[in-house]
Amino acid sequence: MKLIVHTNEKSYLIMEMPTYRVPKWSNVGYTIIEKTKAFVFGAGKIILAISVVLWVLASYGPEDEMNQARVLVEQNALGKNRRDFSPADLCSYGDYCRNDVDLTYKLFLILSLALLPRSSTHRLTLVLLTIAAMAKFFIDRPIFAWVLAILIMLAGALSILDLPLEQYPDIAPVRVSVNATYTGANAQTVEDSVTQVIEQNMKGLDGLQSMQSTSSSTGGASVTLSFIAGTNPDVAQMQVQNKVQQALTRLPQVVQSQGVTVTKSGTDFLLIANFVSDDPSVTASDLGDYVATSLVDTLSRIDGVGDVTTLGSGYAMRIWLDPAKMQKYALMPSDITSALESQNTQVSAGQLGALPAVPGQQINAVVSARSKLRTVEQFQNVVVKSATDGALVHLGDVARVELGSDSYTFQTRYNGRPAAGVGIKLASGANALGVAKAVKAKLAALAPYFPNQIHYEIGYDTTPFVTISVEEVVKTLVEAMALVVVVMVLFMQNLRATLIPAIAVPVVLLGTFGVLAAFGYSINTLTLFGMVLAIGLLVDDAIVVVE
């Protein structure tokens, strides 16, 4: 054998190998092996066919011979009741013995499965024969079948109470969000000081698929991590929380003081509740502050709530610095910050007459010092600079202080009136209808205690779509069951034969819910639609068993 490479000008001999001829005896041996394999496989198929015939005889043998055997047993007065007849008694007086056929069938089946090739046909045959054997097993043991059916129905009925109910299956990846705020920083500063620091520490997370980050001009930093479907959201949140703790020391002090939150939730709102007041003197800041301080924590503790977003802004002490006056007194913004941090603190002053006390001390008093600053006048009186002659420069001399909103980047209005809202996000794997119902019940319980004529309105709710879609599919499911029963009555003309498939339908459907719970699925439009399609297959199988 030669390997030659041809070009436009020349041909090159790359390799030359001697050619060997295959001896004739090797061809003969190969032919013998192939014919032996074909013979074995053919014998396996023949034996398999015989085993199937024997199974049919074992399952549907001639009843006349069996009845004849029973008559002979009765005529010979074995001294036994009719219920005490054993297969051996019947086989001893009759020409037909089902047990012998069963044993022969099993032996032939094992032999055929051993001889057949390991192919898809072999596996399919094994599955079909196993199903046939299982059907015969349960037909011969009706009491055991009833007990098993009742247990399956109970397991499915209990699983319905715990299965999450949603419109579509949860196939979206698990998301964990990390949020931080750097007050006063622009988008580039937030990106360099906060966002990149958090991103660099998100390494070694199990099942991490992608990561998306956002840095806003209002000082907000958000990092959303997506994990592959099937990841445990609790484990993912714990791992992300540990990584955030490692990066916390590298973040600016302002960010650390405000905190870095790690939440597991989806990106879409389940519902949005808007809070409005009939009192015209109530502003959007009043509503936002009440929602942020009194309602957010309560709603976030409801089981199934992943995250609560405040759609509004609460109170904040706004300090507007005057550049001209700052230059006049030779002050910098950092001087104002240092003065506020040193004078706007909570001081623990201690006690008077605490132990160990001098002899005769009978009075013990706790000293209450001034707490943090609360009013505009208190902030205006903060000393930002002092001179050697005793002259003082207060914050009100170089800035305008007022009580305003924490943020002016967005406004919330409901039907043209000032409002504040809360957006509820669903936790991973939670029941959408159950969570929405719990949130509405909590708001209804708190509504009588809202101040200043505040009341709430549900402005956005996704649960009606879930309810309607599920109700329509359930109605279709019931209609399909009724239609199947009617068709069986018309074509089979036998109420007893119709009753067996009709009973099998609810048993199997309830058992399906148990399977859904075992594999972590939910009750949604697609799974219920699959049940509708499976009713036809289920009834066909039940009719075959009856026949």
Side-chain angles (χ1 to χ4, degrees):
M1 182 178 65
K2 298 180 180 180
L3 179 61
I4 302 176
V5 178
H6 299 277
T7 63
N8 295 332
E9 298 179 356
K10 297 181 180 181
S11 298
Y12 300 92
L13 178 62
I14 304 301
M15 183 173 55
E16 184 174 1
M17 297 178 59
T19 303
Y20 297 95
R21 297 183 179 274
V22 179
K24 294 183 179 181
W25 62 266
S26 61
N27 293 333
V28 175
Y30 178 76
T31 304
I32 293 175
I33 294 174
E34 289 296 322
K35 289 185 177 181
T36 304
K37 291 171 60 178
F39 173 77
V40 172
F41 295 159
K45 294 179 180 179
I46 295 175
I47 295 175
L48 177 62
I50 295 175
S51 65
V52 172
V53 174
L54 290 176
W55 172 77
V56 174
L57 293 177
S59 300
Y60 309 100
E63 295 295 334
D64 294 337
E65 296 182 5
M66 297 295 294
N67 295 331
Q68 182 181 1
R70 292 190 178 94
V71 173
L72 292 175
V73 171
E74 293 176 351
Q75 292 176 355
N76 284 272
L78 295 178
K80 300 179 181 180
N81 295 326
R82 189 175 182 85
R83 295 182 179 179
D84 297 333
F85 293 159
S86 64
D89 296 332
L90 299 179
C91 291
S92 62
Y93 285 89
D95 297 332
Y96 174 78
C97 181
R98 184 172 298 193
N99 285 347
D100 293 341
V101 179
D102 281 345
L103 179 60
T104 307
Y105 149 68
K106 294 176 181 178
L107 292 177
F108 274 90
L109 177 60
I110 295 174
L111 182 60
S112 63
L113 294 178
L115 294 178
L116 283 178
R118 303 294 178 180
S119 62
S120 58
T121 305
H122 173 270
R123 289 190 290 269
L124 179 60
T125 305
L126 179 61
V127 171
L128 294 178
L129 291 177
T130 303
I131 294 175
M134 290 177 59
K136 183 178 182 300
F137 175 84
F138 288 108
I139 291 175
D140 294 339
R141 297 164 178 83
I143 298 178
F144 178 76
W146 271 108
V147 173
L148 189 60
I150 293 173
L151 293 177
I152 291 175
M153 293 179 66
L154 290 176
L158 294 176
S159 300
I160 294 177
L161 302 177
D162 296 332
L163 282 173
L165 186 61
E166 53 191 1
Q167 185 176 11
Y168 299 110
D170 189 11
I171 59 176
V174 177
R175 290 184 173 89
V176 178
S177 301
V178 182
N179 298 290
T181 303
Y182 193 178
T183 306
N186 56 21
Q188 186 62 41
T189 304
V190 174
E191 175 70 21
D192 298 337
S193 303
V194 180
T195 307
Q196 290 186 3
V197 174
I198 296 176
E199 289 178 348
Q200 292 170 1
N201 281 269
M202 295 299 140
K203 297 177 294 185
L205 299 175
D206 298 336
L208 180 61
Q209 188 176 20
S210 62
M211 183 166 48
Q212 181 182 2
S213 61
T214 303
S215 301
S216 64
S217 58
T218 58
S222 176
V223 180
T224 302
L225 299 97
S226 300
F227 295 83
I228 58 176
T231 303
N232 190 335
D234 296 326
V235 175
Q237 183 185 18
M238 179 187 65
Q239 292 182 348
V240 173
Q241 182 69 47
N242 294 336
K243 297 296 182 180
V244 170
Q245 291 297 325
Q246 296 176 6
L248 198 60
T249 56
R250 299 172 53 191
L251 297 177
Q253 187 63 37
V254 178
V255 179
Q256 296 183 33
S257 61
Q258 295 189 2
V260 180
T261 59
V262 180
T263 57
K264 53 172 184 178
S265 62
T267 57
D268 300 327
F269 288 114
L270 174 67
L271 60 87
I272 297 177
N274 299 289
F275 296 86
V276 295
S277 177
D278 296 332
D279 187 355
S281 62
V282 177
T283 63
S285 299
D286 300 333
L287 296 171
D289 185 75
Y290 177 75
V291 169
T293 57
S294 303
L295 298 179
V296 172
D297 293 338
T298 303
L299 296 177
S300 61
R301 286 191 289 266
I302 296 177
D303 187 22
V305 175
D307 188 21
V308 179
T309 302
T310 304
L311 305 177
S313 181
Y315 291 138
M317 194 63 67
R318 310 290 299 189
I319 301 175
W320 307 94
L321 300 178
D322 189 338
K325 294 181 178 179
M326 293 280 291
Q327 183 181 10
K328 175 182 178 181
Y329 291 105
L331 291 174
M332 298 288 292
S334 58
D335 299 330
I336 307 298
T337 303
S338 300
L340 291 173
E341 291 177 353
S342 60
Q343 300 179 45
N344 186 26
T345 59
Q346 189 78 35
V347 178
S348 176
Q351 300 180 9
L352 295 177
L355 296 177
V358 298
Q361 179 69 37
Q362 298 180 357
I363 298 177
N364 181 19
V366 179
V367 179
S368 298
R370 188 183 66 177
S371 61
K372 289 188 176 181
L373 306 178
R374 296 179 179 273
T375 63
V376 175
E377 292 75 12
Q378 291 176 348
F379 276 92
Q380 290 177 344
N381 294 328
V382 171
V383 178
V384 296
K385 188 176 182 180
S386 60
T388 55
D389 57 356
L392 300 176
V393 179
H394 297 87
L395 182 60
D397 299 331
V398 296
R400 177 169 54 90
V401 182
E402 66 178 7
L403 184 64
S405 298
D406 186 21
S407 176
Y408 292 94
T409 55
F410 61 90
Q411 293 182 353
T412 304
R413 304 187 72 86
Y414 184 77
N415 291 335
R417 294 184 295 173
V422 288
I424 307 297
K425 293 183 180 180
L426 193 66
S428 300
N431 190 332
L433 295 181
V435 173
K437 183 178 180 180
V439 171
K440 294 176 183 178
K442 178 60 70 173
L443 291 176
L446 296 175
Y449 305 100
F450 291 166
N452 300 326
Q453 302 180 14
I454 297 176
H455 61 276
Y456 74 95
E457 300 287 345
I458 303 298
Y460 175 77
D461 190 1
T462 60
T463 54
F465 301 99
V466 181
T467 305
I468 294 174
S469 61
V470 172
E471 287 179 353
E472 290 296 325
V473 176
V474 171
K475 184 171 66 176
T476 305
L477 189 63
V478 175
E479 292 174 354
M481 293 175 58
L483 183 61
V484 165
V485 173
V486 171
V487 171
M488 287 190 297
V489 172
L490 293 177
F491 284 90
M492 300 185 70
Q493 299 294 322
N494 191 333
L495 293 178
R496 182 180 179 184
T498 304
L499 183 62
I500 296 176
I503 295 177
V505 170
V507 172
V508 178
L509 290 181
L510 286 176
T512 304
F513 289 107
V515 176
L516 293 178
F519 285 90
Y521 289 95
S522 63
I523 301 176
N524 54 70
T525 306
L526 297 183
T527 53
L528 292 178
F529 182 66
M531 290 185 182
V532 174
L533 297 178
I535 286 181
L537 303 177
L538 172 63
V539 173
D540 290 341
D541 296 338
I543 293 175
V544 170
V545 173
V546 171
E547 291 294 335

